[in-house]
């Protein structure tokens, strides 16, 4: 294997999911819905704010018909499938009455993209301010693909003795010294 295979600074070695960073930003339900006793209408979904007479909330009402909730139900009472649909979307289009916000739109078939996608695509005149707004709903966690090793799974398949490069990198200097003494005995 080429040396770049073992470097998270190289596209050939870096985990494709986290780009070699070792962590990922994921949406945190506690930040998106900080007060589960509030309803959607009261602003229980923080990024959406209080209910308004627009397509977004009309779509949420249609989603509620599909998942058996209303905008007046406390967030805490919504089923797991309803919360997943609210957060991550539902690709199955729904008939949404858009006439409430604008009489000229009438009824339309709309697929709900989810609050997570809504947060991702919100654009602001000041991109730093927009990024700061998005970041408040995210938490950083170890990458779900590489487990924080920062490397491709293919790179981790190569072992010396019983260790891959990520395991060797995680060793303390004392453990590494003992390991290198033991490994030289195994290699001869």
């Amino acid at each position: 294997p080429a040396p770049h295979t073992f470097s998270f600074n190289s596209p050939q070695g870096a985990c494709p999911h986290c780009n070699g960073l070792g962590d990922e930003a994921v949406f945190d339900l506690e930040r998106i819905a900080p007060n589960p006793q509030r309803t959607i209408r009261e602003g229980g979904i923080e990024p959406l704010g209080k209910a308004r007479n627009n397509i977004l909330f009309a779509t949420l009402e249609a989603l509620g018909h599909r998942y058996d909730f209303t905008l007046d139900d406390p967030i805490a009472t919504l089923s797991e499938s309803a919360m997943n649909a609210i957060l991550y979307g539902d690709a199955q289009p729904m008939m949404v009455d858009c006439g409430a916000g604008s009489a000229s739109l009438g009824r339309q078939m709309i697929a709900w993209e989810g609050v997570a996608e809504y947060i991702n695509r919100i654009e602001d005149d000041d991109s730093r301010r927009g990024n700061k707004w998005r970041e408040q709903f995210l938490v950083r966690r170890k990458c779900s693909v590489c487990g924080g090793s920062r490397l491709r799974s293919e790179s981790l398949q190569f072992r010396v003795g019983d260790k891959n490069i990520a395991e060797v990198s995680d060793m303390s200097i004392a453990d590494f010294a003992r390991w290198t003494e033991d490994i030289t005995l195994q290699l001869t």
Side-chain angles (χ1 to χ4, degrees), residues 68-187:
D68 196 31
F69 70 86
T70 71
L71 301 187
D72 296 311
D73 293 335
I75 301 289
T77 65
L78 302 183
S79 69
E80 186 176 341
S81 61
M83 278 309 294
N84 278 334
I86 291 169
L87 292 175
Y88 301 110
D90 184 342
Q92 187 72 31
M94 302 167 284
M95 186 60 72
V96 177
D97 184 5
C98 302
S102 174
S104 64
L105 295 176
R107 293 172 58 85
Q108 294 184 12
M109 291 296 286
I110 297 176
W112 170 245
E113 63 185 1
V115 173
E117 184 58 31
Y118 172 81
I119 293 169
N120 278 332
R121 71 176 172 76
I122 288 295
E123 293 183 19
D124 196 288
D125 292 337
D126 178 1
S127 64
R128 282 186 301 184
R129 196 171 92 204
N131 286 337
K132 187 175 180 178
W133 181 82
R134 280 187 287 281
E135 288 290 320
Q136 71 180 321
F137 304 112
L138 299 171
V139 292
R140 306 238 23 114
R141 297 200 175 120
K142 273 189 180 180
C143 176
S144 59
V145 173
C146 69
S149 73
R150 302 163 67 163
L151 294 167
R152 292 180 172 272
S153 62
E154 297 88 345
S155 302
L156 299 174
Q157 298 306 309
F158 295 93
R159 295 183 168 274
V160 175
D162 60 343
K163 306 268 186 228
N164 65 38
I165 191 168
E167 293 166 331
V168 172
S169 296
D170 285 342
M171 290 180 172
S172 68
I173 292 181
D175 290 341
F176 179 74
R178 280 191 295 280
W179 181 76
T180 54
E181 288 172 9
D182 293 342
I183 203 66
T184 54
L185 297 174
Q186 292 178 25
L187 295 176

